[in-house]
Amino acid sequence: MEEQIRKLYVEASSRCNLACKMCFRHSWVDERFGDLDPAVFTRVMNDPSLSGAETVFFGGMGEPLVHPALADMAALASESGKKVELVTNGTLLNREKARELLDAGVSRIWVSIDELYENYGKIQVGSDFGLVLSNLEAFNLLRRGTNVRLGMTAVIMRDNIASLRRIREFAEHFGADDLNLSHIIPNRPEDIEQALWPMCDVAAIKAVTDRIGYVWRFEGIDLGPEIPMFKFSQRYKDLLFPDEKSLQEAELFSWKGKPVTRRVNWCRFIEEGNCFIRWDGDVSPCMGLLHTADTYLNDHRRRILHHSFGNVCRQSLSEIWNSEEYRSFRQRVHEFRYAPCLFCGGCEQLENNLSDCVGSSAPTCGGCLWGQGFAVCP
């Protein structure tokens, strides 16, 4: 576990120009919309806690390109010696904006492509596939001869899994350097059937108690450090791909010859020294705690409550990052002694992330799809 901040996620804005089918913003609870104050960002970039940081990533739950001063903030981060990345839906990444970002020193741009061709608008509602293709082509021309990388990211669900099998060839056609794939986290009742992770071959869980506390382990599978992220059970493979019954699991999704894998009981946000600053200055440890939203775990509705360890409008980032409360939380997540909520029949404590059946203090992470490697952020 990293003790220093290595990667700072910055939610430049919680606003967005689209209404994508799987977005958390559909189920936000009492949330406001706004943009990060550039003056606050400037103070943060001068904070000593970022002396060892390698990357500043503009992302979160909004579209960063709607922020009018994004390029200025990116330039400040780049001038501070950080790699600068951002994720965008691609609609606002026109030639002028792409040139502005490249001049600001952005080192990698991720573009969300959650559906391809004729079905694109059914998932990325309000977007225009032709416009995104045009913007990708323009961006590629501008980054030619530079070290700037292009990444593509997609959320896999029932409605798009068949067509997204072409995501590899699509990414290769545009010269993408990186590909990030994630399972959907349902946020509305109608999205429950879109979740594919319950269709994967996951190990049986057996809970045991010993003198150190609650421990649970996987049975029936040799975990090793990583396991396939899209290893579907045969009956579901036949359902999802009725015309390709001989399809091998490893061929479903891979990138540059390697299958997409995941780790379990492991939070990359904590282990890799990530820290999130919300648009209003609140500091959260991960993507899942950035906003309050309703989600669904199997058929159970869960209200995931936003958790902040402080606000950079009132405190320094160093004070927040080094506080006893934040340090204690990072240690708890590192040990990951939470109830196995993903594989449990459910109880009343599953309704939110305030407690679990083994007495974990808030916020609890046992039902987190990020912590089990099913949800993955760039």
Side-chain angles (χ1 to χ4, degrees), residues 88 132 168:
T88 174
V132 173
R168 289 175 298 180

Side-chain angles (χ1 to χ4, degrees), residues 274-293:
N274 296 173
C275 181
F276 287 70
I277 296 180
R278 200 167 70 166
W279 71 272
D280 59 0
D282 269 4
V283 175
S284 292
C286 66
M287 184 70 75
L289 297 175
L290 205 56
H291 294 274
T292 295

Side-chain angles (χ1 to χ4, degrees), residues 196-209:
L196 294 176
W197 70 265
M199 299 182 184
C200 296
D201 280 333
V202 292
I205 299 298
K206 180 180 180 181
V208 297
T209 306

